[in-house]
Amino acid sequence: MQTSKRPSSEDCTVFLATAIRAAEAAGTVLLEHARSGFRIDYKAAINLVTDADRGAEESIVRTILSAHPSHRILAEERGEDGAADSPYRWIIDPLDGTTNFAHGFPFYSVSIGLECDGECIVGVVLDPVRRELFTAVLGQGAYLNGERLRVSIIQTLEHSLLVTGFAYNIRETTNNNLDHFSRISLRAQGVRRTGSAALDLSYVAAGRFDGYWEVKLSPWDMAAGIVILREAGGVVSGFSRSRFSLYGQELVATNGHIHDQLLRAINQHPDPH
Ligand code: IPD
Ligand code: CA
Ligand code: CA
């Protein structure tokens, strides 16, 4: 592993520009497939992948490696790619919300995060349908189409609009979030399930949701969104307050004010009766 110094803000500006260029090209690929059609394959019973996922990923990886040939890649469909020993790793979900996309439900995104020495420093999430581009660089704030983002000021779970999601192995495990979902639905003002984790995180950053949790996420679902949320003043953790890991699967992401309340509600064990 190469040793590195922290990237300068000029470096980060270049990385952000690359991420935006890659996300916009991928967004075009997705919209073209949405218009002209695509083949669907099954990774598992309810886990789909389409030509659009693969085409968008191809385009993102090409854009990133032509700008930064010495960097590493972790992308959902292809796994590891690029150089072996760079401190920089791009973490890519070319189509977050594949099930929505495959059904013509227009809520999906492109998610591109950049890690440097294990820390997420750049995040870009693009909703190509609404033309909403969420961006952030560590220490430089979060933006939606260039406008500064702030999390909501909601103070209680009872007044919160929350969002969650379910993993593709929902039928095969009891750790499938249905227990948390039913318990928290009785506490919050509302709970939504949108089908795009990257947009869920970006929407908490924009104050459209007050909190989000999920039990089995992958790094590409979270890498970009957590930079955007933190830079908008939000808080990210696992199911305890301990340090968050991108590779730890559990995520609780809030406006900060309701974080402990949501953690308590998640960790409250169901009444045995
Ligand atoms: C999925 C979405 C969904 C979440 C799932 C993810 P994909 O990603 O983010 O909202 O609930 O856990 O796997 O497969 O559409 O990229
Ligand atoms: Ca995803
Ligand atoms: Ca995906």
Side-chain angles (χ1 to χ4, degrees), residues 76 93 95-97 220-221:
E76 179 175 11
D93 193 335
L95 169 48
D96 187 48
W220 44 81
D221 299 315

Side-chain angles (χ1 to χ4, degrees), residues 18-251:
T18 303
I20 292 173
R21 221 167 46 246
E24 280 174 347
T28 303
V29 172
L30 296 182
L31 293 178
E32 275 167 14
H33 276 292
R35 232 182 347 259
S36 63
F38 47 86
R39 197 181 81 183
I40 300 175
D41 292 319
Y42 284 79
K43 296 187 200 174
I46 58 166
N47 189 354
L48 317 179
V49 60
T50 72
D51 299 334
D53 299 69
R54 297 196 184 97
E57 186 170 291
E58 184 64 46
S59 152
I60 294 166
V61 171
R62 205 179 324 115
T63 303
I64 290 173
L65 289 182
S66 66
H68 310 292
S70 66
H71 288 190
R72 298 158 70 199
I73 299 279
L74 173 64
E76 179 175 11
E77 308 307 335
R78 72 179 56 202
E80 302 271 355
D81 202 339
D85 66 347
S86 169
Y88 292 105
R89 179 146 90 144
W90 295 83
I91 304 180
I92 298 157
D93 193 335
L95 169 48
D96 187 48
T98 296
T99 308
N100 290 347
F101 180 86
H103 287 264
F105 180 67
F107 198 85
Y108 49 84
S109 61
V110 179
S111 174
I112 302 176
L114 175 61
E115 235 186 23
C116 177
D117 285 330
E119 183 175 33
C120 290
I121 58 167
V122 173
V124 167
V125 173
L126 173 69
D127 172 348
V129 175
R130 289 167 193 74
R131 307 189 65 73
E132 290 196 323
L133 179 71
F134 298 88
T135 59
V137 170
L138 185 66
Q140 295 182 26
Y143 296 84
L144 166 54
N145 293 345
E147 298 274 326
R148 189 79 188 241
L149 290 178
R150 277 307 294 175
V151 292
S152 73
I153 57 166
I154 296 289
Q155 303 286 322
T156 66
L157 206 53
E158 283 65 27
H159 291 110
S160 292
L161 183 60
L162 305 178
V163 64
T164 190
F166 302 95
Y168 292 115
N169 66 353
I170 186 170
R171 299 174 183 172
E172 283 105 51
T173 171
T174 52
N175 181 22
N176 58 11
N177 199 26
L178 289 172
D179 52 346
H180 303 309
F181 179 69
S182 56
R183 199 168 55 253
I184 293 166
S185 294
L186 300 176
R187 294 278 313 277
Q189 200 164 77
V191 181
R192 302 289 178 259
R193 192 286 200 250
T194 72
S196 171
L199 284 176
D200 294 338
L201 280 162
S202 302
Y203 275 33
V204 180
R208 296 170 178 176
F209 289 131
D210 309 301
Y212 166 46
W213 84 92
E214 197 160 335
V215 304
K216 283 188 187 160
L217 290 170
S218 297
W220 44 81
D221 299 315
M222 302 185 266
I226 63 165
V227 188
I228 295 165
L229 177 56
R230 283 175 169 152
E231 287 300 316
V235 172
V236 167
S237 75
F239 280 11
S240 73
R241 266 280 190 176
S242 57
R243 201 170 168 274
F244 170 74
S245 166
L246 198 55
Y247 304 91
Q249 297 195 325
E250 292 174 352
L251 174 70

